[in-house]
Amino acid sequence: MATDMSLEMSAQSAEAQAAAAGETLPTIEFVSPMPGFPGRTSFVLVRLDQVGLLNSLRSVDDPELRLITIAPHQFFPEYAPEIDDETIAALGTTDPSQLLVMLIVTAGSSVRDSTANLMAPIVVDPTTMRAAQCVLTGSNLPVRAPLG
């Protein structure tokens, strides 16, 4: 994993390459703003690697707002968050087993210094591209779980 600055440059480069190729980047619409980001519900999803393990979520409304996310299985193979019925209903999903889970990463100077928020995953319905950040109440999962 790279540092915040190199991840930012990778995300900008990936977006520029997609634009040059005429690709349309997928937009994810949050059903409600994530905590700490009022009024920000539309985000562009940018894949930063070939397998979709590392991604960038950039706010459509505030291009300076970018979150780095990972698919949890590579770093936390046992991670299986229980998504509450209220979140599933808000997403309007017809098949909860198809929901995609992403974790927000705080990048450090190396993988060993980087952490992921296991307490509040982002859940995406790939059919509708609607998303929610689900705070897992009642669990002891960390907000800053080391990746390395």
Side-chain angles (χ1 to χ4, degrees):
M1 169 128 349
T3 63
D4 280 330
M5 184 55 79
S6 61
L7 284 173
E8 178 71 22
M9 292 180 353
S10 293
Q12 289 174 352
S13 175
E15 284 187 46
Q17 288 174 0
E23 295 176 32
T24 302
L25 295 171
T27 300
I28 293 174
E29 295 291 335
F30 280 79
V31 295
S32 61
M34 289 182 284
F37 302 108
R40 305 297 185 254
T41 56
S42 295
F43 286 78
V44 175
L45 180 66
V46 182
R47 184 181 291 184
L48 300 180
D49 64 7
Q50 295 301 317
V51 295
L53 177 66
L54 184 64
N55 298 286
S56 165
L57 278 177
R58 181 187 46 82
S59 171
V60 171
D61 303 313
D62 180 2
E64 298 297 314
L65 173 58
R66 186 183 315 268
L67 304 170
I68 302 301
T69 67
I70 59 169
H73 63 274
Q74 182 72 28
F75 295 96
F76 308 99
E78 304 295 318
Y79 185 70
E82 289 189 32
I83 309 304
D84 60 64
D85 292 338
E86 183 179 310
T87 300
I88 291 171
L91 291 173
T93 188
T94 56
D95 186 359
S97 69
Q98 297 301 311
L99 293 174
L100 301 175
V101 176
M102 298 185 295
L103 302 175
I104 298 173
V105 171
T106 300
S109 59
S110 69
V111 172
R112 187 175 309 258
D113 297 325
S114 299
T115 62
N117 182 344
L118 301 183
M119 177 68 81
I122 294 173
V123 184
V124 182
D125 182 330
T127 304
T128 63
M129 296 305 281
R130 291 170 50 95
Q133 186 173 25
C134 180
V135 178
L136 304 174
T137 57
S139 75
N140 292 328
L141 294 169
V143 174
R144 293 189 179 273
L147 297 183

